[in-house]
Amino acid sequence: MTAVDAAPLWAVGTYADGHGRPAPWEISHDEINRDIGVATTVLTQLGVVGRRVLWCSMLSQAGQHWPYVCGTVLAGAKLSCADSTFGEAMRVSMFLRLMDYDAVLGVTNDLLDGLDASGRAPADVFAGVRVLGAYPGAYERLAAAGLTPTRVALCGPAIAIGREPAGPAFVPAAEWELVDLGDRVGITALQPRATSFIRTPIAVRGTIVDGGIVPVSA
Amino acid sequence: MTAIPAADSKFFNADVETMSRADLEALQLERLLEVIPFAYERAPLIREAWEAAKVHPRDIRTLADFRERVPFIDKDAVRRFRDERGDPYGGLLCVDPDDLTGVGSTSGTTGDPTLVPEMWGGAGLSSPSIITRDLWGWGVRPGDYVMLVLFTFRGPTYGLFQHSLQTTPILFDFDPAEMERFCELSLRYRPTAVYNFGSVLINAVKDVCDRRGFDPRDVFSSYVGVTFAGEPLSPRARALAESWGVPLYEHGNVGDVTGSFECVARDGLHAWEDTVIVEGIDEDADGRCELVATALNNRISPLLRFRSDDIVRLSTDTCACGRTHVRMWPVGRKSDEVLVDGLSVLPLDVWGAVESVDACAMGLFQIVRTAREVDRLRLRVGYAPDWSARLDGVRDGVQAAVLAATGTEPEVELVPNEALLRLGPPHKIPRVAKS
C-alpha cells in the first residue's frame, strides 16, 4: 500500500529496520485511529475486559503501543503503564504487589534483569497473571522459570501478540502482513499509511507460521 | 476544551492566566469548598487526618480557615495507610475502583512509588492548563513538531500534545543512546520544543555532535523552548546548552498535584492556581519554605494540604510576563540534606565539583545518606568507561574537587556511569541513596 498525504501527522514514531537501526516513521491520525479500533478488538479477544492490564513499553515505541494503550481502556479494561527497563522492575513489581493484573504485556530481558537484581523471582512477581506477554529472550526466561508466557514481538511498525501460550504472535491481519524475505522478515501495510511499508525488512528474526511469527531471541 | 487562541496571542487563556489575585482567590475558595466535603466524605485518609485534628468541613469557610485549621498529609502517611490497611490507593480514592480507567504511579524518586488513579474523560483535570499554557507562552503553536523525550509511567499523557496544542510529537526515550536520533530528527523536522531534557542528555548531545560533526547551534536553532525537569541542570550542562543558544525552561512538580514551568521571563516557575493552592510552611530567614499543595480540580484522589518535602521560595507578585499565578524557585529536597559534622550538604552543592572531573563529566552521582547526620560525606560517583584503568586518579580528583566546593572531603565509591543510569526513573537518578 502506498503512502498517503497525511499532514498534520499524529506523531513521528520509530521502528527497527532490517539492520536493527531505528528508522523514523510518520504516522497519520487516520491510521492511528484505525489501529486503535483493531487493538481494541485484539484485547477484547484476549479476554481482558473489566480486568487490569499492565503495558511495559518505551515512549519511542508509542506508535506501536498507543493503539493498545487506548484499546485497553476502550475494551473496558483498567490500564497501567511502566517503562520496560531495568530500573522499572521496581514499578512493575509494585503494581503487581498492590493489585491483581489479568495481563502484563511487553516484558523484556531488561525488566527481568531488574527483578533479578532486586531479588524478586519472576515466578512470584507474575504469579496469578493470566496473560503474560513477553518479548524474545524474556519469553524463554519466563518459560524456564515455570511460567506460561505468550509471545509478543515488535514487527517494525506493528506489534505481534500471541493468542495462546506457545503459539505464534500475530500482527492485526486487517492492517499488516508479515512476509518471508528469505534471510529475514518483512512487513507490508494493507491499508493507506503516511509511511509506505511494502515488504519492508524489519529487525525481528523468526519463522512465519500461519501468518504469525515465532520469533527467536537475538 | 479551551479554544485555540489566535497565533499572535501571548497567552493561551488570558482571562485565567492574568486574573487578579482577588479573583483568583475567590475562584480557589469556590473550588476548595467543593473539593473539601467531596474528599472528606470519600477518602478515608483525609477523613482520619481531619478527625484527628478535630476539624470538619463546615469549619472551613475562608482560605484563612483552610490555612489555619486543615491538617497536613504527606507521602509517608499515604504509604503507611496503604501498607497497614491494604488499600492500594493509600486512603485517597474517592470513586468506585470499578469506575477507574487506569492506575498510574508517581516517579518513585524518594522510595516506593504511590498509585495515581485515573479516569479518562477529565475527572482529574478540568482544563488543559498543564503544559498547554506554558508551551504556548514560549511560542509553540499548532502544526509545530515537539520532541517528546519521556517515560511512560504517567500513562498516556502525551495525548495533550496532539489534542490541546495540536502539535505533532516526535517520540523518544529518555536515554543518552537516543541523542543521535534526536540530533538527526531535529535537523530534519525543525521542531520548536522539547519536553523533556536533562543534564545527561545535553552531555550526550555534545558527544554526538563531536562524533558526527553536527553543529549543536544548528541542531537547536528551531527551538523556542527546551524544558528540563526532574532535577536541576548541572552547571556544566547549563553552560553547554547556553553556549549553543538553547532556550532553556525549568519544569517541576507541585507536590504530586500538578506541574510548574518557567515562563519567558525566567523568574521562577508558575503553578496554575486555578487548579492548585500552593502554600509554603516553615519559612526560614531566607524565605525558603516547604511546598504544600492542594488539588482543586481532582475528583478522583484529591490531595489536600500535601507536604511535598520540596524546599522552595515562593512569590505571588505579578510576573514580568504578565501572569499573576504563584511562582516558585526550587531549592532542594528536605530529605536529601545531610549534615556532615554540622555542615549542610545538598546534591547541588557537590554536583559541579563531581562533573568538573573529566571522567565524571556526565554528573552522575549519589549521596549515600545512611542518616541525616553523619561523620563523613559518602558519595557514589559514575565514571565514563574509558577511564576504568585510571580510577585512583579519578577518585583523588573527585575528593579534591568536592572538598574545595563543600569544605568536607568525601569518601568516594566509583561505579560505571551505566550502573547509575540504570537506576531510573529515566529522567533522573535518585541523587540520595540509603546504602
Side-chain angles (χ1 to χ4, degrees):
Chain A
M1 188 63 65
T2 54
V4 296
D5 179 11
L9 298 168
W10 175 79
V12 179
T14 187
Y15 73 95
D17 69 13
H19 301 285
R21 293 178 304 220
W25 166 35
E26 297 188 346
I27 306 165
S28 71
H29 283 273
D30 280 351
E31 67 192 77
I32 204 79
N33 289 334
R34 231 172 39 231
D35 288 341
I36 289 169
V38 169
T40 304
T41 303
V42 168
L43 291 163
T44 301
Q45 289 169 347
L46 276 178
V48 301
V49 176
R51 303 175 181 185
R52 289 197 185 92
V53 178
L54 171 59
W55 280 99
C56 306
S57 67
M58 302 302 290
L59 188 76
S60 62
Q61 302 165 342
Q64 293 91 335
H65 278 270
W66 174 260
Y68 289 88
V69 165
C70 294
T72 298
V73 176
L74 293 174
K78 319 286 185 198
L79 170 73
S80 293
C81 298
D83 280 6
S84 52
T85 59
F86 177 96
E88 287 282 274
M90 164 267 299
R91 189 178 315 282
V92 168
S93 56
M94 179 275 294
F95 276 130
L96 288 157
R97 187 182 78 241
L98 293 177
M99 295 183 293
D100 295 329
Y101 282 84
D102 185 51
V104 178
L105 294 158
V107 178
T108 60
N109 260 326
D110 285 347
L111 268 177
L112 295 182
D113 288 346
L115 290 178
D116 285 349
S118 59
R120 298 175 174 102
D124 296 334
V125 171
F126 297 117
V129 175
R130 185 178 60 88
V131 182
L132 181 58
Y135 284 106
Y139 175 89
E140 289 78 6
R141 287 171 68 179
L142 290 169
L147 295 163
T148 52
T150 298
R151 288 191 171 93
V152 172
L154 270 179
C155 294
I159 300 180
I161 298 176
R163 296 170 186 155
E164 58 192 1
F170 295 91
V171 295
E175 292 288 333
W176 303 101
E177 181 182 30
L178 296 175
V179 290
D180 186 345
L181 300 179
D183 63 337
R184 63 189 60 191
V185 176
I187 193 163
T188 295
L190 303 177
Q191 303 292 334
R193 290 188 175 264
T195 302
S196 177
F197 290 95
I198 304 169
R199 300 175 62 83
T200 305
I202 50 178
V204 68
R205 297 288 183 268
T207 308
I208 295 177
V209 178
D210 297 332
I213 186 164
V214 176
V216 293
S217 54
Chain B
M1 182 185 292
T2 307
I4 297 282
D8 62 353
S9 172
K10 183 176 169 186
F11 303 110
F12 187 80
N13 187 337
D15 290 346
V16 174
E17 292 175 50
T18 62
M19 186 178 274
S20 73
R21 174 70 22 200
D23 287 348
L24 201 44
E25 291 189 352
L27 179 63
Q28 286 183 320
L29 181 61
E30 180 187 325
R31 292 182 175 175
L32 187 65
L33 295 181
E34 290 173 10
V35 74
I36 282 176
F38 180 87
Y40 179 87
E41 294 297 333
R42 293 166 177 81
L45 175 64
I46 300 288
R47 179 80 166 238
E48 271 193 18
W50 284 51
E51 287 180 351
K54 297 187 172 17
V55 181
H56 189 275
R58 64 177 166 266
D59 301 327
I60 310 303
R61 296 180 180 176
T62 66
L63 290 176
D65 293 339
F66 172 75
R67 293 186 183 108
E68 285 165 18
R69 303 205 56 187
V70 171
F72 298 109
I73 57 172
D74 61 21
K75 193 159 284 188
D76 284 342
V78 176
R79 288 180 178 133
R80 194 164 48 244
F81 195 99
R82 179 191 71 187
D83 296 340
E84 290 177 1
R85 311 294 179 85
D87 174 356
Y89 306 103
L92 290 169
L93 189 64
C94 290
V95 299
D96 184 335
D98 286 343
D99 292 336
L100 298 175
T101 54
V103 182
S105 58
T106 59
S107 68
T109 312
T110 60
D112 212 10
T114 53
L115 298 183
V116 181
E118 292 163 357
M119 291 169 71
W120 283 20
L125 293 168
S126 65
S127 67
S129 53
I130 308 311
I131 300 174
T132 309
R133 291 177 189 166
D134 305 284
L135 268 66
W136 185 277
W138 303 343
V140 178
R141 292 293 180 268
D144 288 358
Y145 287 96
V146 173
M147 302 300 229
L148 284 192
V149 189
L150 270 179
F151 35 78
T152 67
F153 62 78
R154 293 269 194 233
T157 52
Y158 43 96
L160 279 174
F161 290 86
Q162 286 103 339
H163 298 293
S164 302
L165 269 171
Q166 298 180 11
T167 55
T168 296
I170 304 177
L171 306 163
F172 296 88
D173 305 327
F174 197 100
D175 181 346
E178 285 272 72
M179 290 302 98
E180 184 157 0
R181 202 164 69 84
F182 174 89
C183 292
E184 290 171 351
L185 297 188
S186 290
L187 295 167
R188 175 168 169 178
Y189 287 98
R190 297 296 183 184
T192 56
V194 181
Y195 182 88
N196 219 348
F197 236 48
S199 303
V200 169
L201 300 187
I202 289 172
N203 282 303
V205 166
K206 179 183 184 308
D207 291 344
V208 168
C209 289
D210 288 348
R211 183 162 45 82
R212 294 283 306 274
F214 296 143
D215 176 357
R217 283 170 291 272
D218 190 19
V219 168
F220 286 103
S221 61
S222 58
Y223 289 96
V224 299
V226 173
T227 185
F228 61 94
E231 58 184 19
L233 278 191
S234 72
R236 172 190 160 94
R238 180 178 282 281
L240 272 176
E242 288 177 351
S243 75
W244 302 336
V246 178
L248 293 170
Y249 292 98
E250 187 170 359
H251 167 38
N253 238 352
V254 184
D256 285 352
V257 169
T258 183
S260 59
F261 286 84
E262 278 186 314
C263 65
V264 290
R266 290 190 179 80
D267 189 13
L269 284 68
H270 287 279
W272 298 114
E273 289 185 273
D274 53 321
T275 67
V276 62
I277 291 179
V278 173
E279 301 173 81
I281 61 170
D282 301 337
E283 185 172 327
D284 69 14
D286 297 326
R288 305 195 321 181
C289 53
E290 182 180 353
L291 174 70
V292 175
T294 296
L296 293 174
N297 293 344
N298 190 313
R299 294 294 182 273
I300 305 170
S301 58
L303 292 167
L304 303 186
R305 295 203 99 191
F306 182 74
R307 290 184 68 151
S308 68
D309 193 50
D310 288 326
I311 306 300
V312 297
R313 289 186 299 110
L314 296 172
S315 172
T316 53
D317 293 343
T318 299
C319 179
C321 76
R323 295 185 174 103
T324 50
H325 294 239
V326 67
R327 285 172 290 155
M328 60 188 67
W329 292 262
V331 175
R333 192 176 272 276
K334 231 171 96 180
S335 56
D336 283 357
E337 182 185 58
V338 287
L339 293 174
V340 186
D341 275 341
L343 177 73
S344 167
V345 179
L346 283 162
L348 209 51
D349 298 325
V350 301
W351 203 329
V354 167
E355 66 177 7
S356 71
V357 177
D358 286 344
C360 310
M362 287 280 256
L364 295 168
F365 71 92
Q366 294 182 308
I367 294 177
V368 180
R369 185 183 190 264
T370 52
R372 181 166 180 265
E373 298 184 35
V374 295
D375 296 332
R376 188 164 188 201
L377 178 63
R378 287 179 57 197
L379 299 177
R380 181 173 297 125
V381 178
Y383 62 87
D386 46 345
W387 288 81
S388 56
R390 292 169 281 172
L391 294 186
D392 285 345
V394 173
R395 186 177 293 105
D396 290 346
V398 172
Q399 284 179 323
V402 173
L403 174 62
T406 66
T408 186
E409 186 177 66
E411 182 183 317
V412 174
E413 173 194 357
L414 293 172
V415 297
N417 281 339
E418 186 60 27
L420 291 176
L421 282 172
R422 291 180 101 188
L423 296 176
H427 59 313
K428 53 186 172 182
I429 65 165
R431 291 294 174 181
V432 173
K434 290 180 181 165
S435 61

